[in-house]
Amino acid sequence: MKALILVGGFGTRLRPLTLTLPKPLVEFANKPMILHQIEALVEAGVTDIVLAVNYRPEVMVKVLEKVEEQYNIKITFSVESEPLGTAGPLALARDILAKDDSPFFVLNADVTCAYPFKQLAEFHKSHGNEGTILVTKVAEPSKYGVIVSQPGSTKIDRFVEKPQTFVGNRINAGMYIFTPKILDRIELRPTSIEQEIFPAMAKAGELHTFELDGFWMDVGQPKDYLSGTCLYLTHLTSTKSKLLTYPEGNSYIYGGNVLIDPTAEVDPTALIGPNVVIGPGAKVGKGVRLQRCVLLANARVKDHAWVQSSILGWNSTIGKWSRVENITVLGDDVTIKDELYVNGASVLPHKSISSSIPSPTIVM
Ligand code: GDD
Ligand code: MG
């Protein structure tokens, strides 16, 4: 089977992390975001993956060459010279997507869930129309594509991208499967699949829904990245995942949902959890308190610091007795000096902070 992952976009909403790595390579639960999707696709029998990109492919190419070998799959970079939106990239990759009659998956790169690709493919084959969209329910539908189905049917009646007024709470989860016939609808130019293609397909009765079970989150911005991390960790806990096996002497885990890379060093007098991810090479000092936060690789939290609802970038350091909270995001190699209070700051890479930040600010 084949798949195309929409990787482009500049990931501006996940700055400052995306100033260092393209969004799909930013780790989510200690693994590059895109690898969660690739592994799930492979599991469903996909062997041919197109990555539709419009910036910095060179970093991605290196990382993904290894992935190709590891999973024995073919990954092709389809590089746009101008951003082609969410539909144009399908036309650009036409040769691969239409090389046989079998259906192909299309994924937004920034969504996390349990990826039920096998079931999605089975359902798609059963109805015989052009497309199936994975749908989920959210409380705040206005920032998503909203779907209205025909009563008592899986057929989609209306697709409204980012509605200004309330249309419904069932939304496009950003994952699809299509028959190659959809390609006849898409020209090679910047095109939004949500605004131009889906409404037409719905009108023609060619678009169905498949309900997603369990958690879902678009993790394309820091607040949602943290919420998505909590949901994913809860999922790991409920499925008794081996990933949540802690190193020896785990007295410091509090409340569960804690994922610690085996190469991280956590002082046994620290108190960690619930909902914490500690990346490879990270160091957590004496008496530290961590809740609902992510430490990316080689981040360091010095003795007696307190961190909540924040993302500490690669190689960043929190000084002794400092307190960091409220969706603070530190870029690569940021230092917060000792005894400071940092509230909702977004700090660009390589900065050193030596006075407190009492209210949410971007530090450039
Ligand atoms: N190759 C390529 N080229 N990819 C692109 C481009 C482009 O020009 N523009 C956006 N993308 C990719 C993004 O990187 C992302 O993976 C995906 O397309 C969707 O773009 P977002 O910018 O994240 O869209 P959104 O989150 O506002 O809305 C989309 O996702 C929601 C679910 O999270 C829509 O599909 C909504 O309908 C949906 O509900
Ligand atoms: Mg998104």
Side-chain angles (χ1 to χ4, degrees):
M1 284 187 86
K2 305 159 287 184
L4 178 142
I5 308 182
L6 289 160
V7 173
F10 294 94
T12 42
R13 289 173 293 187
L14 205 54
R15 274 184 192 157
L17 302 175
T18 45
L19 294 171
T20 304
L21 277 185
K23 183 161 76 170
L25 293 187
V26 171
E27 293 87 354
F28 178 80
N30 285 346
K31 199 193 295 183
M33 273 188 206
I34 200 159
L35 212 53
H36 290 269
Q37 294 185 324
I38 291 177
E39 286 179 353
L41 288 169
V42 169
E43 182 78 26
V46 172
T47 49
D48 222 332
I49 299 178
V50 180
L51 298 185
V53 291
N54 60 33
Y55 85 122
R56 294 187 68 165
E58 46 317 327
V59 200
M60 303 259 300
V61 170
K62 263 207 186 138
V63 176
L64 290 164
E65 270 168 2
K66 289 189 199 122
V67 175
E68 262 188 319
E69 259 177 52
Q70 190 184 348
Y71 293 98
N72 194 23
I73 52 173
K74 173 107 191 76
I75 298 179
T76 310
F77 282 82
S78 178
V79 184
E80 296 148 47
S81 47
E82 62 168 328
L84 289 175
T86 45
L90 276 66
L92 189 64
R94 193 187 173 102
D95 287 352
I96 298 175
L97 301 178
K99 71 177 178 188
D100 56 34
D101 289 340
S102 67
F104 55 86
F105 295 101
V106 173
L107 319 180
N108 288 351
D110 56 1
V111 286
T112 178
C113 67
Y115 307 118
F117 294 138
K118 257 189 197 150
Q119 298 91 309
L120 179 63
E122 273 162 27
F123 174 69
H124 178 75
K125 282 177 196 153
S126 76
H127 66 62
N129 290 116
E130 278 177 40
T132 311
I133 300 183
L134 207 52
V135 302
T136 186
K137 282 190 185 138
V138 293
E140 272 276 336
S142 63
K143 52 179 185 167
Y144 306 102
V146 175
I147 286 165
V148 182
S149 298
Q150 294 177 7
S153 159
T154 60
K155 262 200 186 164
I156 297 178
D157 220 9
R158 284 172 71 205
F159 187 102
V160 192
E161 182 65 14
K162 309 209 167 62
Q164 305 282 309
T165 53
F166 187 82
V167 178
N169 65 348
R170 290 170 71 237
I171 63 131
N172 167 19
M175 282 161 280
Y176 327 111
I177 184 165
F178 301 121
T179 20
K181 223 167 158 270
I182 190 184
L183 297 168
D184 298 342
R185 300 176 179 275
I186 305 172
E187 291 169 29
L188 185 54
R189 61 172 171 86
T191 309
S192 158
I193 204 166
E194 297 87 353
Q195 275 162 8
E196 297 178 54
I197 310 299
F198 288 161
M201 287 173 80
K203 218 170 167 193
E206 289 289 346
L207 207 49
H208 290 254
T209 57
F210 184 78
E211 304 288 332
L212 176 66
D213 248 355
F215 73 105
W216 176 87
M217 189 60 99
D218 178 326
V219 295
Q221 45 189 308
K223 184 171 161 278
D224 296 340
Y225 173 100
L226 282 169
S227 305
T229 300
C230 296
L231 293 173
Y232 179 75
L233 291 171
T234 302
H235 169 74
L236 291 184
T237 300
S238 66
T239 54
K240 300 200 162 58
S241 166
K242 287 203 184 85
L243 289 171
L244 298 189
T245 325
Y246 308 122
E248 287 290 299
N250 61 14
S251 56
Y252 47 78
I253 305 285
Y254 178 77
N257 286 5
V258 173
L259 176 64
I260 304 179
D261 186 273
T263 62
E265 288 171 33
V266 182
D267 190 277
T269 61
L271 194 58
I272 315 288
N275 296 306
V276 173
V277 176
I278 301 182
K283 287 195 174 67
V284 177
K286 292 191 184 75
V288 162
R289 179 75 181 103
L290 302 179
Q291 303 167 68
R292 200 178 191 274
C293 62
V294 175
L295 276 57
L296 293 176
N298 303 313
R300 179 161 184 212
V301 182
K302 291 192 179 170
D303 300 350
H304 311 292
W306 189 98
V307 182
Q308 188 180 54
S309 295
S310 295
I311 307 170
L312 311 186
W314 314 272
N315 311 301
S316 58
T317 304
I318 307 287
K320 290 181 190 170
W321 295 286
S322 280
R323 178 179 174 116
V324 173
E325 64 183 8
N326 192 19
I327 326 280
T328 288
V329 187
L330 306 183
D332 177 33
D333 180 38
V334 165
T335 304
I336 307 283
K337 295 258 169 77
D338 295 349
E339 296 184 49
L340 297 182
Y341 172 51
V342 178
N343 174 16
S346 177
V347 186
L348 269 63
H350 315 298
K351 294 279 158 204
S352 180
I353 303 293
S354 41
S355 49
S356 288
I357 302 176
S359 57
T361 325
I362 298 174
V363 182
M364 317 228 233

